[in-house]
């Protein structure tokens, strides 16, 4: 009886808290958000960037030690608290299972592995289906690109042996999408280069829509009585990046992979994700930002193309609750995106822009890389290597921060991969 009464009170209490925090159902419907983007360079406001090397207490960083012990943790904590949100710290590795291995994939060129990674202690809970292609001829452990993708693994490569699941609606031709992302992923080119490619679909971790974090991985990590993340806890991008780290947990165990030579790569919202994964997990040796734009590597204070307000309005689930306070208040941000790039130092980063992609602000992306240079310089490393916005199709990759602005649209194209591979060669070739 006592227990029943307590659970009843608990239920009332929980409902009360829930009702307290939910949006008011009788509120008038929100007006449709109208995007007002500036594409005129002369109308970019003047702004002052936060000093990446100045600590909260005014101390100016001049050594790697000061950066790593004092300033980097400050900057990291700001991004975690006010932008991406804090992801759970695991006390132990989660279970995984190698579901299938095929040693003669792609006409004998590759070994393909399918690995299921549990994302919680609950075996029935969300999981990542990680797919690996590893070059068969390779001697020893191979370097690898870990890509987070918009679509399931069967779209990555035109591989007749990959099982394509039946579509839920039972209508679409089963094979429709097999290999449809091959141009963006370039699996065969990567394999011919002697590198491996591992991918998973971001929806495995958290489906990409605003549902107050009721599906995906978030609810599994709520405290007792918690119904959605606190204002400083993980949004979807932090969850996807956390998923990349779970993939890395597995890669460290795979005897064919050199976990010390793993690059993270993503495009657009998944470019933002790859950059945050690189910033938050130092095990990633190289980072590729494909058109990550606003809230990726592009400076927010420029307010060119997409803005913080447009992002939070249209994709409120991507960032943590605290980030909303900076809508139309970019000058109050306690950081700017050059400091996100700086968090990756001294590891190399490739920033890829596209000429037609004004929404992502190509110049802002370039300046995001430039602004991180003082931190790379602490390690004696060169940055992009030019102060001027590089001409189209002219990659700069002599330093640890590489940049190009490729002709064409918002995408990852074969041209981009050619540059990424050249850049990775410099760091991953023995
Ligand atoms: C939208 C969004 C961008 C994002 C892009 C994508 O355009 O505004 O910030 O990068 O979607 O992920 O495709």
């Amino acid at each position: 009886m006592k227990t029943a009464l307590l659970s009843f009170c608990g239920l009332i209490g929980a409902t009360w808290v829930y009702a307290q925090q939910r949006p008011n159902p009788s509120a008038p419907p929100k007006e449709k958000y109208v995007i007002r983007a500036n594409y005129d360079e002369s109308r970019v406001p003047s702004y002052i960037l936060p000093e990446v090397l100045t600590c909260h207490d005014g101390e100016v960083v001049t050594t790697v030690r000061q950066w790593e012990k004092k300033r980097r943790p400050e900057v990291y904590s700001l991004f975690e608290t006010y932008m991406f949100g804090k992801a759970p710290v695991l006390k132990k590795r989660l279970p995984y299972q190698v579901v299938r291995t095929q040693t003669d994939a792609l006409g004998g060129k590759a070994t393909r592995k399918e690995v299921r990674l549990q994302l919680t202690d609950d075996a029935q809970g969300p999981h990542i289906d990680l797919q690996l292609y590893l070059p068969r001829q390779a001697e020893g452990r191979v370097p690898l690109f870990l890509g987070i993708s918009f679509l399931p693994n069967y779209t990555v490569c035109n591989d007749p042996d990959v099982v394509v699941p039946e579509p839920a609606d039972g209508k679409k031709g089963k094979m429709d999408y097999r290999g449809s992302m091959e141009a963006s992923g370039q699996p065969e080119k990567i394999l011919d280069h002697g590198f491996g490619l591992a991918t998973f679909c971001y929806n495995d971790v958290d489906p990409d829509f605003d549902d107050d974090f009721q599906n995906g991985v978030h609810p599994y990590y709520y405290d007792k009585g918690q119904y959605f993340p606190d204002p400083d806890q993980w949004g979807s991008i932090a969850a996807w990046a956390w998923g990349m780290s779970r993939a890395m947990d597995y890669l460290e165990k795979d005897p064919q992979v050199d976990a010390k030579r793993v690059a993270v790569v993503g495009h657009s919202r998944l470019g933002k994700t790859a950059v945050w994964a690189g910033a938050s997990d130092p095990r990633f040796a190289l980072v590729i930002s494909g058109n990550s734009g606003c809230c990726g590597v592009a400076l927010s204070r420029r307010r060119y193309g997409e803005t913080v307000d447009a992002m939070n309005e249209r994709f409120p689930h991507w960032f943590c609750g605290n980030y909303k306070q900076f809508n139309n208040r970019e000058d109050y941000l306690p950081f700017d995106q050059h400091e996100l790039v700086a968090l990756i130092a001294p590891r190399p980063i490739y920033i890829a822009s596209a000429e037609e992609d004004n929404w992502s602000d190509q110049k802002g992306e370039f300046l995001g890389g430039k602004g991180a240079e003082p931190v790379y310089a602490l390690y004696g490393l060169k940055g992009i290597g030019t102060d001027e916005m590089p001409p189209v199709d002219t990659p700069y990759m002599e330093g640890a921060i590489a940049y190009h602005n490729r002709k064409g649209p918002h995408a990852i194209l074969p041209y981009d991969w050619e540059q990424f591979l050249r850049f990775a060669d410099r760091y991953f070739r023995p």
Side-chain angles (χ1 to χ4, degrees):
M1 175 63 193
K2 202 169 156 196
T3 326
L5 190 68
L6 278 177
S7 354
F8 177 71
C9 294
L11 191 67
I12 298 277
T15 315
W16 182 79
V17 174
Y18 193 67
Q20 286 289 301
Q21 297 181 22
R22 305 297 297 178
N24 175 2
S26 57
K30 268 178 90 175
E31 279 172 31
K32 195 171 174 326
Y33 184 74
V34 182
I35 298 171
R36 291 186 188 82
N38 172 43
Y39 292 119
D40 178 351
E41 193 61 39
S42 71
R43 289 180 51 218
V44 168
S46 57
Y47 56 84
I48 299 171
L49 285 184
E51 290 283 350
V52 64
L53 291 180
T54 305
C55 302
H56 293 334
D57 65 5
E59 182 179 328
V60 177
V61 170
T62 54
T63 66
V64 166
R65 193 184 151 76
Q66 273 173 303
W67 167 254
E68 289 184 353
K69 293 270 170 262
K70 186 166 176 179
R71 180 60 181 154
R72 188 185 187 280
E74 283 182 3
V75 174
Y76 184 77
S77 162
L78 291 174
F79 276 102
E80 222 190 7
T81 310
Y82 293 102
M83 187 173 192
F84 295 99
K86 295 173 185 151
V89 178
L90 297 178
K91 293 196 186 75
K92 58 176 175 44
R93 296 284 169 110
L94 292 164
Y96 68 85
Q97 198 195 346
V98 180
V99 180
R100 198 169 292 127
T101 304
Q102 188 191 345
T103 50
D104 60 351
L106 305 177
K109 184 183 279 192
T111 296
R112 183 171 51 76
K113 292 185 189 175
E114 294 170 34
V115 188
R116 181 156 285 196
L117 313 174
Q118 251 177 251
L119 293 179
T120 76
D121 280 333
D122 178 355
Q124 306 308 314
H127 54 261
I128 284 177
D129 281 328
L130 188 72
Q131 176 177 263
L132 288 86
Y133 283 104
L134 303 166
R136 238 180 103 200
Q137 301 307 331
E139 281 169 27
R141 294 168 178 265
V142 292
L144 175 138
F145 287 94
L146 171 63
I148 180 164
S149 6
F150 286 89
L151 294 169
N153 289 328
Y154 62 84
T155 62
V156 169
C157 192
N158 200 355
D159 178 345
D161 297 322
V162 171
V163 178
V164 180
E166 281 293 345
D169 61 10
K171 285 185 199 143
K172 283 192 187 122
K174 212 174 157 187
M175 313 300 264
D176 271 0
Y177 306 115
R178 186 195 296 278
S180 58
M181 296 303 285
E182 199 162 283
S184 321
Q186 297 285 293
E188 304 231 11
K189 190 184 272 184
I190 294 170
L191 288 165
D192 290 343
H193 218 77
F195 294 171
L197 173 68
T199 54
F200 68 91
C201 176
Y202 73 149
N203 286 322
D204 285 357
V205 184
D206 185 27
D208 185 8
F209 58 89
D210 178 23
D211 70 334
D212 259 345
F213 304 106
Q214 300 313 301
N215 62 17
V217 78
H218 292 89
Y220 290 84
Y221 288 92
Y222 290 155
D223 285 338
K224 220 160 171 252
Q226 186 177 15
Y227 297 94
F228 37 88
D230 290 343
D232 66 349
Q233 287 182 326
W234 54 344
S236 292
I237 289 186
W240 300 330
W242 181 88
M244 297 192 97
S245 289
R246 302 296 65 81
M248 184 55 150
D249 292 346
Y250 167 75
L251 295 173
E252 286 187 322
K253 297 266 187 261
D254 190 308
Q256 288 168 278
V257 175
D258 182 354
K260 296 262 178 294
R261 292 183 289 165
V262 172
V264 268
V265 50
H267 163 63
S268 206
R269 70 199 68 181
L270 299 178
K272 307 180 211 304
T273 303
V275 175
W276 181 237
S280 52
D281 191 337
R283 292 176 297 172
F284 294 120
L286 190 150
V287 176
I288 295 172
S289 154
N291 310 145
S292 66
C294 182
C295 303
V297 302
L299 296 180
S300 302
R301 281 171 174 75
R302 276 174 49 80
R303 288 152 270 203
Y304 181 103
E306 189 167 25
T307 59
V308 172
D309 182 57
M311 183 88 63
N312 277 332
E313 277 293 330
R314 296 169 65 234
F315 307 103
H317 56 297
W318 285 1
F319 298 97
C320 73
N322 277 340
Y323 196 47
K324 312 283 182 290
Q325 63 189 285
F326 301 104
N327 289 351
N328 299 312
R329 297 175 75 240
E330 286 84 351
D331 292 317
Y332 293 91
L333 279 163
F335 47 70
D336 212 317
Q337 301 309 108
H338 62 304
E339 293 173 297
L340 180 59
V341 179
L343 289 175
I344 292 162
R347 292 163 294 147
I349 175 167
Y350 200 111
I351 299 174
S353 302
E355 193 194 14
E356 291 168 21
D357 188 17
N358 293 332
W359 181 238
S360 298
D361 183 13
Q362 307 88 336
K363 187 167 177 193
E365 294 183 310
F366 169 71
L367 293 174
K370 287 294 299 170
E373 287 182 344
V375 176
Y376 281 82
L378 292 175
Y379 292 89
L381 295 171
K382 278 213 322 225
I384 300 182
T386 173
D387 292 336
E388 300 303 322
M389 177 71 182
V392 168
D393 285 350
T394 311
Y396 274 75
M397 58 169 95
E398 291 308 308
I401 308 172
Y403 179 85
H404 75 232
N405 187 18
R406 163 194 43 73
K407 209 184 288 127
H410 179 76
I412 296 195
L413 300 181
Y415 175 93
D416 298 306
W417 271 109
E418 275 165 34
Q419 316 318 318
F420 301 159
L421 287 169
R422 274 174 60 204
F423 188 58
D425 275 348
R426 287 190 29 220
Y427 298 93
F428 287 175
R429 288 268 179 227

